Amino acid sequence: MYKQYRSSQQSVDQLLEKSFSNLSVTDLKSQDVLGDVTESSDTVRLVSELSDHIHVESALAEEIQKCWDTVDSQCSKYNGTQARSREPDDGDWKTIRVFVSSTFTDFFCEREVLVKKVFPELREWLQTRKLYLVDCDLRWGVPHDATTAETIAICLDELDRCMEGTGGEPFFLNLLGEKYGWCPADDDLSDEVRSRFDWVPETSITFMEILHGAIRMQNNNAQFAVRTDSIIKDVPGHLLSRYKSSEPRDIEHLKELKHQLQERFSAQIFDYQCKVDGVVTKFGKEIVNVVELEEFAERVLTFFKTAVTRMFPNRSEAMPVNFSTILTEDANQRRFVSEISNNLIGRKSDAEKILAYVNGEISNLEKGKLGTGDPVSRKPELWGDLGCHGNELLCVQGKAGHGKTTLMAWVTQHLIKAGCRVFYHFCGCSGSASVLSVLLQRLLAFLTQDYTKEFLDSLYDSDNSILLEKIKQCLVTMATNEDRREKLVFVFDGLDQLTDANSMFHLSWLPPHLPGNVRCIVSTSTHPPTLNRIQEHAHLFLQINNLQRDDAQTIVETFLGKFNKRLDPKQLQLILDSKCSESPFWLYLICEELRIYGDFRTLTHRVQAITTSMAAALQAILTRLVDEDDTGAMKTTLCLIACSDDVITCLDLQRMLGDISAREALPPMTWSRVRRHLKAYLRILDGSDTISFVHADIKRVIQECFVKNRDDISRYHTKLCDYIEHWCENTLLRRDFLAFHMVKANLHKRLLNFLRNDLDSSKIPSFRRSSFINDMRCRHLADPVIKGVHPAQICRFCRHGKAVFHPSRMHLNERMCVVCGGFTMPIPGRNVDAHLCNFHGVHIRPESPKCFLCGKIQGKEFMSPAVLCMHCQFHNNGKRCCVVEVK
């Protein structure tokens, strides 16, 4: 019918223009008008064509009406069945996602205003309210229209992601002009997309975004910006098709869409004027330069500030925001436990034994074996009387992938809901969670309940020995003070994942016994050093065994059931009889592969290929992901996450995958495709948007497969350095991790420059700065008893200058450590004079010494000794040459 309409339209238009320019379609349907035409016209053919045209016009009107009848029916269904449940606002950091919807080719300038002006200002405003902004604009940076089924699914998947926790009212911005947008053909839509998103036939993808993101749930957080048609006359002819629909069907659909939005969202829609200022070239194609968008930007910014205030009324005013590593990790830990605690299937008997231990019942637990000989890690002299009485800790042990972390998270959540006071630390939660100092800082803050900025800053600057002494004092006070003997539970998961897990003093911080009111639960894999250190403590033991067959079957059926997939009895039997049924994580990998392929005819071969071992399964899966990648970014994505120590956000990763030097991120559509393929293997924490792998073994296999040699390691860590140093706005990332990545990338010259001249590095604790710089220090001995060794000295001119080796420039050179630049206290016997080895002091004469800083030769009477701080003289470093060599 529509093809007939198009073929007859041109010839009929002339007649309409001449004779019926003032009549409506309704008027033309009347017999009187047609009769008049017949009597006044001798051309029967034109009358017949006109009648056909009216018929097609009527059919088009019926099609549009049918479309909106379907929309109204869906609105009734969604409003009746979809509960508007929102996550309670606990005042913690949350992620706000704003989805930007429009057609592909005609809103380039508006998007630039959003990305470069509106969203940066909104992001700063939200940060003062402990809200983290993620703008989801999948058209940004896409050089051409993408018309694939995957593109459709990605757009609507991203919109679904923006809906999480909003009760069906995502923050949604739609830009409308004179273009209706691309309407997918039938073969562009998969059955899954049709069913999942209730696709309305013969509509555009932009229409479906508006329907799914705003209309169905009458979204109060949706805004619609309608650009007037005033710019169309100034658009060059060869570019007009990008800015205006030419098909009458699209024009009528767009007209009705604007009318419906005006009717349904009268308070949330606005028109804006703009002008055309020539044509510019961006991304290799001509773009109409649209200007005077200040009103547009201001109204969008004001709307979303108002919408956020309405959704989070307790954050209407700026909140005191403390950008502390401890508070950030606290938030990450809470979300981590909340996310995975609901995934427990089976293991109920193990959970009951742990809960019984908390309540003092230990008869069902095995007594742990104590190691023979003197303790290697534990320090009895540190803990004193605390080591002579109290409770034994409980060690939960099992192979990697057997569900220990999920079990521990479930127990933690259960205890919190039961009203217990619980401190928990999951070492696999994030990159900083595996650092012992972060664990001790969090524990001390929890025990003291002091979360003021001053106290948290003091914890950050303290080394582990000071933290440990304070923790001991808190525990001793609990053991002796009746007023502070409230029941406490400590949960430490994944002790084998701590960064010092292979060191001699691993777990030296763990008390040998606990006060009577404290219970401690720890977990570890079969990591020998961790198990040996635990055996130095009196402990109870709980072994996590292989999954029961019924539990394995439940996991398979539950997972595949989410995607409406089922295995026949023989296929299910094949999986349950394989080795992978021993481990929940291994089963998860198998089910994910089957979900993607869905070709159960080759199931036997596929299962056999990935059930020999978990490492083999991961290697096969990761290799497939890289081999089948058509974005060119998959391998780099995997390697950057593996090298990042789990501390980067999705935005950080998207930028690193683009052009760092030009500050152009990877196009959002491409990034969304990569993330969609990796979704099953990634964990993205809400609030911080930090990205990591769901299991530590994935990271290990990636490092073995793709980051195998020194060049690979250097390449990926250099990319991380380039981004963090030159683009990243996160000062915590620069302070805590930039130096680490520079070491990994062998960028010693950049590292030294950063530590001595970048103000952010001044916030690094002095013992860490010293550690980094001492690794670059000359290895030769400079003991004064060795012939040819000379003292390092500073002339009287340099002595009163500001510390040249410390970026803060807060103290004088005479009180500066000549290695790390730190401050040295003028206490007799506290400092050690610095010396030059016989290689670096070869041209120095005792009677005419050379200034260590400026290199000028002065008389002895004008010189004063250069000194080393307590960190740079530790152990034998006081007798090393003080010259820092950059290779």
Side-chain angles (χ1 to χ4, degrees), residues 306-319:
T306 304
V308 168
T309 302
R310 182 175 58 249
M311 180 169 278
F312 301 100
N314 296 331
R315 308 182 190 223
S316 57
E317 300 294 334
M319 304 169 66

Side-chain angles (χ1 to χ4, degrees), residues 771-784:
S771 174
F772 285 126
I773 295 182
N774 272 280
D775 285 341
M776 297 181 283
R777 189 172 162 187
C778 174
R779 300 289 178 183
H780 294 161
L781 279 176
D783 193 320

Side-chain angles (χ1 to χ4, degrees), residues 275-280 288-291:
K275 292 182 179 179
V276 173
D277 184 20
V279 176
V280 296
V288 174
N289 189 27
V290 179
V291 296

Side-chain angles (χ1 to χ4, degrees), residues 20-88:
F20 303 100
S21 59
N22 296 322
L23 297 180
S24 66
V25 173
T26 305
D27 296 331
L28 288 172
K29 290 182 181 178
S30 68
Q31 293 296 325
D32 293 340
V33 174
L34 290 177
D36 292 342
V37 174
T38 305
E39 292 175 1
S40 62
S41 175
D42 297 329
T43 310
V44 177
R45 180 181 59 81
L46 289 179
V47 173
S48 176
E49 290 179 357
L50 176 60
S51 179
D52 290 342
H53 182 77
I54 295 171
H55 179 66
V56 174
E57 283 271 349
S58 177
L60 179 56
E62 290 177 3
E63 176 188 319
I64 294 174
Q65 185 60 47
K66 182 179 179 181
C67 166
W68 285 97
D69 287 344
T70 302
V71 169
D72 290 335
S73 174
Q74 291 184 0
C75 290
S76 299
K77 181 184 75 172
Y78 274 74
N79 284 320
T81 60
Q82 305 291 327
R84 297 198 177 208
S85 60
R86 294 177 183 169
E87 297 177 356

Side-chain angles (χ1 to χ4, degrees), residues 98 118-126 133 301 304-305:
V98 178
V118 177
F119 289 148
E121 183 175 344
L122 181 61
R123 183 173 286 111
E124 289 183 6
W125 184 83
L126 289 172
L133 175 67
L301 181 63
F304 283 112
K305 285 184 178 180

Side-chain angles (χ1 to χ4, degrees), residues 271-337:
D271 297 343
Y272 66 95
Q273 300 273 353
C274 51
K275 292 182 179 179
V276 173
D277 184 20
V279 176
V280 296
T281 301
K282 291 288 181 72
F283 301 113
K285 71 187 295 187
E286 288 184 309
I287 302 292
V288 174
N289 189 27
V290 179
V291 296
E292 296 188 10
L293 294 170
E294 291 78 12
E295 178 194 359
F296 161 79
E298 183 61 32
R299 296 194 67 165
V300 171
L301 181 63
T302 302
F303 176 85
F304 283 112
K305 285 184 178 180
T306 304
V308 168
T309 302
R310 182 175 58 249
M311 180 169 278
F312 301 100
N314 296 331
R315 308 182 190 223
S316 57
E317 300 294 334
M319 304 169 66
V321 179
N322 185 355
F323 292 100
S324 163
T325 303
I326 300 173
L327 295 180
T328 300
E329 188 57 39
D330 280 351
N332 288 341
Q333 294 280 337
R334 283 193 292 272
R335 294 189 180 92
F336 180 84
V337 170

